[in-house]
Amino acid sequence: MKGLLLRLSSLDADATAAVRVIAHFQALLAADRVDPAALLRSTAALAECPAGWELADGRVLRAGPDGTALAGRPGRMSGAADLGTAGRVWLERPGPPGPFDDLVLEWLAVAARTLAQPSPAADPGLLEVVLSGRETVADRTRALRLLGFAPQAPLRAVVVAAPGEPEALAPALLARGGAPGTVRAARLGGHGVVLLQRARVPGAPPAAGGGDSPAGELREVLRGTARVGVGGAVGALRAAESWQQAVVALRFAVPGVPAEAVADHEELGTAAVLAELPAARLRELPDVALLAAVAAREGGAAGIEALSAFCRTGSLRQAAAELHLHHSSVATRLERVEAATGWRLRDCGDRFRARLALYAWRLAGAEEGEALTTPGRGAAP
């Protein structure tokens, strides 16, 4: 996160401020013993104006930017966010709203909803039973019910790799979209493992594949060094399949750009098969060796970054916007990659070849111990 902030500060002051706001609330949500009063004190200090929360039971909590509790109801709200059954939150700026008040309010609402809901923390033992391939159907059904899941409905597994408490990060991020559903999380093998079961909205048609993927929501808010793998929607009693898919997807995720930091197994499609090849075999592939040589050169990391953005977007200008660079700078970097590899990236065939090589190169260079252990089944693919 510090590295990202330093980089953004040299490019876009507004982007830096936005990332600071998001990082502030992510840190709060990952911390222990955060209560409504502490949340308001921290928000008021960040926004430099009073903040308030009307709880579901009618109580009103307010805090000033100096951390003091304020009595009574607010005289003026410069912005507010409705929390539904959890009440509402607001800021009390005397003048017009600040440039980032909308973002602060959005994340204040996310944090307030998270605090108002039952903790998503799950018993790791129950989670292991659900993810086991050896436990009986009866035992898995019982574990699902104890975790609050409907055994007949589809769910997804999400695996998070992040410093600190990865099992707390994903539920906080998923809460941002306010999507109805049940979320349970625990730490397994040093990673955060989350099970998500979407609630059906009355009158809404069933989602394709049994449920909408949270990958898009996560990409909107994920920042820093976290990486996320998203499994497909499967019947709850087959949760192990989604979990294994999420583990595979995590191996394709790289920190930094949100589009790369969140990997969805369904989006990977046939490329996911690459994860079945041993790393040594991947390193022997000629295209992987070419990328390794590019990365080893001076400025190679920047070239790989530009190549990845261009292959994913198919547009020089979109890649430049994603990297916060001028399109001519991205073009120069791509020219160097083309000179080193012989690829013509404007050609869709070579661009596909380059993207496939990027996948294989990342898998070949994945850290040892990346794979988690499937409960009752040994190493995951």
Side-chain angles (χ1 to χ4, degrees), residues 291-311:
L291 286 182
V294 170
R297 295 182 177 185
E298 183 178 356
I304 294 292
E305 185 180 49
L307 175 64
S308 178
F310 182 69
C311 286

PDB file of all heavy atoms in Angstrom, residues 291-311:
ATOM      1  N   LEU A 291       9.751 -14.004 -21.993  1.00  0.00           N
ATOM      2  CA  LEU A 291       9.249 -13.058 -20.996  1.00  0.00           C
ATOM      3  C   LEU A 291      10.197 -12.946 -19.810  1.00  0.00           C
ATOM      4  O   LEU A 291      10.375 -11.860 -19.252  1.00  0.00           O
ATOM      5  CB  LEU A 291       7.858 -13.470 -20.512  1.00  0.00           C
ATOM      6  CG  LEU A 291       6.705 -13.245 -21.480  1.00  0.00           C
ATOM      7  CD1 LEU A 291       5.388 -13.653 -20.839  1.00  0.00           C
ATOM      8  CD2 LEU A 291       6.635 -11.778 -21.903  1.00  0.00           C
ATOM      9  N   ALA A 292      10.785 -14.056 -19.416  1.00  0.00           N
ATOM     10  CA  ALA A 292      11.756 -14.015 -18.320  1.00  0.00           C
ATOM     11  C   ALA A 292      12.941 -13.131 -18.692  1.00  0.00           C
ATOM     12  O   ALA A 292      13.454 -12.370 -17.854  1.00  0.00           O
ATOM     13  CB  ALA A 292      12.222 -15.427 -17.979  1.00  0.00           C
ATOM     14  N   ALA A 293      13.372 -13.211 -19.948  1.00  0.00           N
ATOM     15  CA  ALA A 293      14.485 -12.366 -20.404  1.00  0.00           C
ATOM     16  C   ALA A 293      14.076 -10.900 -20.429  1.00  0.00           C
ATOM     17  O   ALA A 293      14.862 -10.019 -20.064  1.00  0.00           O
ATOM     18  CB  ALA A 293      14.936 -12.823 -21.791  1.00  0.00           C
ATOM     19  N   VAL A 294      12.844 -10.609 -20.866  1.00  0.00           N
ATOM     20  CA  VAL A 294      12.351  -9.226 -20.867  1.00  0.00           C
ATOM     21  C   VAL A 294      12.307  -8.683 -19.447  1.00  0.00           C
ATOM     22  O   VAL A 294      12.744  -7.562 -19.177  1.00  0.00           O
ATOM     23  CB  VAL A 294      10.945  -9.154 -21.508  1.00  0.00           C
ATOM     24  CG1 VAL A 294      10.331  -7.772 -21.286  1.00  0.00           C
ATOM     25  CG2 VAL A 294      11.019  -9.466 -22.992  1.00  0.00           C
ATOM     26  N   ALA A 295      11.788  -9.470 -18.521  1.00  0.00           N
ATOM     27  CA  ALA A 295      11.655  -9.017 -17.136  1.00  0.00           C
ATOM     28  C   ALA A 295      13.007  -8.779 -16.486  1.00  0.00           C
ATOM     29  O   ALA A 295      13.131  -7.923 -15.605  1.00  0.00           O
ATOM     30  CB  ALA A 295      10.863 -10.045 -16.335  1.00  0.00           C
ATOM     31  N   ALA A 296      14.040  -9.520 -16.916  1.00  0.00           N
ATOM     32  CA  ALA A 296      15.357  -9.400 -16.298  1.00  0.00           C
ATOM     33  C   ALA A 296      16.112  -8.161 -16.761  1.00  0.00           C
ATOM     34  O   ALA A 296      17.090  -7.758 -16.130  1.00  0.00           O
ATOM     35  CB  ALA A 296      16.177 -10.657 -16.593  1.00  0.00           C
ATOM     36  N   ARG A 297      15.667  -7.543 -17.854  1.00  0.00           N
ATOM     37  CA  ARG A 297      16.360  -6.366 -18.365  1.00  0.00           C
ATOM     38  C   ARG A 297      16.029  -5.131 -17.536  1.00  0.00           C
ATOM     39  O   ARG A 297      15.046  -5.109 -16.785  1.00  0.00           O
ATOM     40  CB  ARG A 297      15.959  -6.109 -19.810  1.00  0.00           C
ATOM     41  CG  ARG A 297      16.381  -7.195 -20.772  1.00  0.00           C
ATOM     42  CD  ARG A 297      15.986  -6.826 -22.196  1.00  0.00           C
ATOM     43  NE  ARG A 297      16.431  -7.819 -23.164  1.00  0.00           N
ATOM     44  CZ  ARG A 297      16.290  -7.690 -24.471  1.00  0.00           C
ATOM     45  NH1 ARG A 297      15.711  -6.600 -24.963  1.00  0.00           N
ATOM     46  NH2 ARG A 297      16.721  -8.635 -25.286  1.00  0.00           N
ATOM     47  N   GLU A 298      16.822  -4.095 -17.699  1.00  0.00           N
ATOM     48  CA  GLU A 298      16.535  -2.828 -17.043  1.00  0.00           C
ATOM     49  C   GLU A 298      15.210  -2.274 -17.596  1.00  0.00           C
ATOM     50  O   GLU A 298      15.010  -2.197 -18.798  1.00  0.00           O
ATOM     51  CB  GLU A 298      17.658  -1.825 -17.305  1.00  0.00           C
ATOM     52  CG  GLU A 298      17.456  -0.500 -16.582  1.00  0.00           C
ATOM     53  CD  GLU A 298      18.609   0.459 -16.811  1.00  0.00           C
ATOM     54  OE1 GLU A 298      19.597   0.050 -17.473  1.00  0.00           O
ATOM     55  OE2 GLU A 298      18.525   1.605 -16.353  1.00  0.00           O
ATOM     56  N   GLY A 299      14.313  -1.917 -16.703  1.00  0.00           N
ATOM     57  CA  GLY A 299      12.995  -1.454 -17.116  1.00  0.00           C
ATOM     58  C   GLY A 299      12.075  -2.573 -17.551  1.00  0.00           C
ATOM     59  O   GLY A 299      10.988  -2.309 -18.080  1.00  0.00           O
ATOM     60  N   GLY A 300      12.496  -3.817 -17.323  1.00  0.00           N
ATOM     61  CA  GLY A 300      11.695  -4.957 -17.766  1.00  0.00           C
ATOM     62  C   GLY A 300      10.354  -5.058 -17.062  1.00  0.00           C
ATOM     63  O   GLY A 300       9.357  -5.427 -17.683  1.00  0.00           O
ATOM     64  N   ALA A 301      10.321  -4.732 -15.777  1.00  0.00           N
ATOM     65  CA  ALA A 301       9.063  -4.817 -15.035  1.00  0.00           C
ATOM     66  C   ALA A 301       8.019  -3.875 -15.632  1.00  0.00           C
ATOM     67  O   ALA A 301       6.842  -4.222 -15.739  1.00  0.00           O
ATOM     68  CB  ALA A 301       9.301  -4.486 -13.561  1.00  0.00           C
ATOM     69  N   ALA A 302       8.466  -2.682 -16.038  1.00  0.00           N
ATOM     70  CA  ALA A 302       7.540  -1.728 -16.657  1.00  0.00           C
ATOM     71  C   ALA A 302       7.038  -2.255 -17.993  1.00  0.00           C
ATOM     72  O   ALA A 302       5.879  -2.051 -18.365  1.00  0.00           O
ATOM     73  CB  ALA A 302       8.228  -0.381 -16.851  1.00  0.00           C
ATOM     74  N   GLY A 303       7.912  -2.925 -18.737  1.00  0.00           N
ATOM     75  CA  GLY A 303       7.499  -3.505 -20.004  1.00  0.00           C
ATOM     76  C   GLY A 303       6.479  -4.612 -19.822  1.00  0.00           C
ATOM     77  O   GLY A 303       5.499  -4.691 -20.572  1.00  0.00           O
ATOM     78  N   ILE A 304       6.692  -5.463 -18.818  1.00  0.00           N
ATOM     79  CA  ILE A 304       5.741  -6.541 -18.538  1.00  0.00           C
ATOM     80  C   ILE A 304       4.398  -5.954 -18.117  1.00  0.00           C
ATOM     81  O   ILE A 304       3.333  -6.433 -18.523  1.00  0.00           O
ATOM     82  CB  ILE A 304       6.290  -7.459 -17.429  1.00  0.00           C
ATOM     83  CG1 ILE A 304       7.546  -8.205 -17.918  1.00  0.00           C
ATOM     84  CG2 ILE A 304       5.216  -8.433 -16.974  1.00  0.00           C
ATOM     85  CD1 ILE A 304       7.282  -9.222 -18.997  1.00  0.00           C
ATOM     86  N   GLU A 305       4.439  -4.915 -17.319  1.00  0.00           N
ATOM     87  CA  GLU A 305       3.210  -4.261 -16.865  1.00  0.00           C
ATOM     88  C   GLU A 305       2.425  -3.691 -18.043  1.00  0.00           C
ATOM     89  O   GLU A 305       1.203  -3.848 -18.133  1.00  0.00           O
ATOM     90  CB  GLU A 305       3.570  -3.147 -15.874  1.00  0.00           C
ATOM     91  CG  GLU A 305       2.381  -2.466 -15.225  1.00  0.00           C
ATOM     92  CD  GLU A 305       2.806  -1.372 -14.272  1.00  0.00           C
ATOM     93  OE1 GLU A 305       3.646  -0.524 -14.676  1.00  0.00           O
ATOM     94  OE2 GLU A 305       2.332  -1.347 -13.129  1.00  0.00           O
ATOM     95  N   ALA A 306       3.128  -3.030 -18.958  1.00  0.00           N
ATOM     96  CA  ALA A 306       2.470  -2.476 -20.143  1.00  0.00           C
ATOM     97  C   ALA A 306       1.926  -3.581 -21.035  1.00  0.00           C
ATOM     98  O   ALA A 306       0.818  -3.471 -21.586  1.00  0.00           O
ATOM     99  CB  ALA A 306       3.453  -1.603 -20.922  1.00  0.00           C
ATOM    100  N   LEU A 307       2.699  -4.642 -21.195  1.00  0.00           N
ATOM    101  CA  LEU A 307       2.257  -5.768 -22.010  1.00  0.00           C
ATOM    102  C   LEU A 307       0.980  -6.380 -21.437  1.00  0.00           C
ATOM    103  O   LEU A 307       0.028  -6.662 -22.174  1.00  0.00           O
ATOM    104  CB  LEU A 307       3.365  -6.829 -22.083  1.00  0.00           C
ATOM    105  CG  LEU A 307       3.018  -8.127 -22.814  1.00  0.00           C
ATOM    106  CD1 LEU A 307       2.732  -7.866 -24.280  1.00  0.00           C
ATOM    107  CD2 LEU A 307       4.151  -9.147 -22.655  1.00  0.00           C
ATOM    108  N   SER A 308       0.958  -6.574 -20.131  1.00  0.00           N
ATOM    109  CA  SER A 308      -0.215  -7.167 -19.501  1.00  0.00           C
ATOM    110  C   SER A 308      -1.451  -6.295 -19.686  1.00  0.00           C
ATOM    111  O   SER A 308      -2.535  -6.798 -20.032  1.00  0.00           O
ATOM    112  CB  SER A 308       0.065  -7.376 -18.003  1.00  0.00           C
ATOM    113  OG  SER A 308      -1.054  -7.913 -17.356  1.00  0.00           O
ATOM    114  N   ALA A 309      -1.306  -5.002 -19.464  1.00  0.00           N
ATOM    115  CA  ALA A 309      -2.447  -4.094 -19.602  1.00  0.00           C
ATOM    116  C   ALA A 309      -2.944  -4.057 -21.043  1.00  0.00           C
ATOM    117  O   ALA A 309      -4.156  -4.043 -21.293  1.00  0.00           O
ATOM    118  CB  ALA A 309      -2.055  -2.695 -19.139  1.00  0.00           C
ATOM    119  N   PHE A 310      -2.023  -4.050 -22.010  1.00  0.00           N
ATOM    120  CA  PHE A 310      -2.425  -3.987 -23.412  1.00  0.00           C
ATOM    121  C   PHE A 310      -3.089  -5.284 -23.858  1.00  0.00           C
ATOM    122  O   PHE A 310      -4.095  -5.267 -24.585  1.00  0.00           O
ATOM    123  CB  PHE A 310      -1.215  -3.691 -24.297  1.00  0.00           C
ATOM    124  CG  PHE A 310      -1.544  -3.566 -25.758  1.00  0.00           C
ATOM    125  CD1 PHE A 310      -2.275  -2.491 -26.230  1.00  0.00           C
ATOM    126  CD2 PHE A 310      -1.143  -4.541 -26.657  1.00  0.00           C
ATOM    127  CE1 PHE A 310      -2.603  -2.375 -27.578  1.00  0.00           C
ATOM    128  CE2 PHE A 310      -1.450  -4.435 -28.005  1.00  0.00           C
ATOM    129  CZ  PHE A 310      -2.187  -3.350 -28.460  1.00  0.00           C
ATOM    130  N   CYS A 311      -2.556  -6.421 -23.426  1.00  0.00           N
ATOM    131  CA  CYS A 311      -3.159  -7.699 -23.807  1.00  0.00           C
ATOM    132  C   CYS A 311      -4.568  -7.835 -23.224  1.00  0.00           C
ATOM    133  O   CYS A 311      -5.455  -8.396 -23.850  1.00  0.00           O
ATOM    134  CB  CYS A 311      -2.290  -8.853 -23.316  1.00  0.00           C
ATOM    135  SG  CYS A 311      -0.766  -9.092 -24.254  1.00  0.00           S
TER     136      CYS A 311
END
